[in-house]
Amino acid sequence: HDARRFTAWGRIDATRVLVGDMAGRLGVVVVKHDGKAVRAVEFEELGKTSVASTISYLDNGFVFVGSSFGDSALVRLLPNKNEETGEFVEVCHEFTNLGPIVDMCVVDLDRQGQGQVVTCSGALGDGSIRVIRNGIAINESADVELPGITGLWSMRAKSDDVFDKYVVQSFVSQTLVLAVADEEMREITISGFDQGSSTLYCANMQRDRLVQVTPTEVRMVDCATLKFVYVWRPADVGAEHNTARITKAHSDERNVLVACSGGLLVVLNVSSDAQK
């Protein structure tokens, strides 16, 4: 092999050591022995990463490559070579590193009077130009596929609780409720809800009530028993609204505003004794 200057190393086990060089190449050194003496030392190149400043083997083939010259990365070692890249390394996640910043300037790229910082970041083979904008970044913590979902609401177990406990998910023909318990989420049944229908709106109300609005009715549920205490339907206004469907709903702590087909608009109030 050609001469290389290694910048970091990390042990996998007693006979294998990962090494990274100045060109950002990641390799493995394998020590072969017979239990008494070393018989051979072999090197195999695995793939390309940022120039490594530290290498930490985690478990199950996952390796953290920390870099002072570019972006750090969480990579996975593959048992077989990737046919597309020709490498044994797959990058799972990258951690942005602006340093070292060699030079910088402030420019208005969008010509909107808001300056943005353009930096010459990195070193060696990891040099890049970065644009830094003033704004809010969003980090994705989890990703769950929910095909057919039409609505999502969070609710507290009691009106005066600080944190939410329930997550209501509405689908085309059903409603699912998840509850937080012991730092985990599990599916539960709220007997006062119509979970066989889609939900248009859910919220906490005063006097420890939960409200669920479906296309056919408004259901008020007691937080303690999770049983419904009041149901309102468009037909309650008059027989001429028997076929009316609820299309939209919203609420504050005391009132629920319901819009129905046919131009019907109704306000339901949570009174001291029941609902009206």
Side-chain angles (χ1 to χ4, degrees):
H1 294 279
D2 56 325
R4 301 187 180 190
R5 180 183 175 184
F6 295 113
T7 57
W9 65 275
R11 191 175 71 169
I12 299 177
D13 51 34
T15 60
R16 295 179 297 168
V17 177
L18 291 169
V19 292
D21 65 11
M22 291 290 290
R25 292 172 294 195
L26 183 68
V28 59
V29 177
V30 180
V31 178
K32 293 188 175 182
H33 61 89
D34 59 6
K36 296 181 179 180
V38 174
R39 297 303 180 186
V41 177
E42 297 180 355
F43 174 83
E44 183 175 4
E45 186 172 318
L46 301 177
K48 195 80 182 297
T49 66
S50 299
V51 179
S53 300
T54 180
I55 298 175
S56 300
Y57 181 79
L58 304 177
D59 198 4
N60 295 325
F62 287 95
V63 180
F64 177 75
V65 179
S67 177
S68 300
F69 307 100
D71 295 340
S72 300
L74 176 67
V75 303
R76 184 166 67 97
L77 303 182
L78 304 176
N80 300 306
K81 183 180 294 186
N82 187 308
E83 295 182 357
E84 295 181 359
T85 63
E87 299 182 351
F88 292 92
V89 175
E90 177 186 38
V91 178
C92 300
H93 186 75
E94 289 186 321
F95 304 89
T96 301
N97 175 25
L98 295 177
I101 297 177
V102 183
D103 198 2
M104 60 170 285
C105 64
V106 179
V107 296
D108 183 7
L109 295 177
D110 299 326
R111 300 182 183 276
Q112 295 181 352
Q114 183 176 10
Q116 300 167 10
V117 179
V118 179
T119 66
C120 295
S121 297
L124 304 174
D126 295 323
S128 63
I129 294 178
R130 306 290 179 97
V131 179
I132 305 172
R133 293 182 172 90
N134 183 24
I136 299 175
I138 299 176
N139 294 322
E140 184 177 289
S141 300
D143 185 3
V144 180
E145 292 188 5
L146 295 172
I149 191 168
T150 59
L152 189 69
W153 300 269
S154 60
M155 298 188 302
R156 303 180 301 277
K158 294 182 179 179
S159 301
D160 57 354
D161 281 356
V162 177
F163 301 106
D164 294 323
K165 180 176 181 179
Y166 304 117
V167 176
V168 180
Q169 306 170 73
S170 175
F171 297 87
V172 176
S173 60
Q174 65 173 333
T175 296
L176 299 179
V177 181
L178 302 178
V180 179
D182 299 327
E183 298 185 355
E184 295 183 355
M185 298 191 73
R186 58 184 179 87
E187 185 177 337
I188 66 167
T189 298
I190 295 181
S191 59
F193 275 13
D194 179 7
Q195 296 191 216
S197 300
S198 64
T199 297
L200 299 177
Y201 181 75
C202 268
N204 284 91
M205 304 289 291
Q206 68 175 11
R207 300 183 58 79
D208 287 340
R209 296 287 191 260
L210 304 175
V211 62
Q212 180 201 22
V213 182
T214 71
T216 59
E217 60 188 13
V218 177
R219 301 173 73 91
M220 203 69 64
V221 175
D222 182 76
C223 288
T225 64
L226 297 182
K227 296 180 179 180
F228 75 86
V229 293
Y230 178 78
V231 176
W232 178 90
R233 299 179 178 89
D236 294 343
V237 178
E240 67 274 17
H241 298 291
N242 281 339
T243 60
R245 303 275 294 180
I246 300 174
T247 57
K248 297 288 183 180
H250 199 68
S251 73
D252 56 18
E253 292 185 351
R254 298 184 57 185
N255 305 289
V256 182
L257 179 63
V258 181
C260 305
S261 58
L264 178 64
L265 192 63
V266 177
V267 175
L268 304 176
N269 175 258
V270 181
S271 60
S272 58
D273 51 352
Q275 285 74 32
K276 61 182 180 181

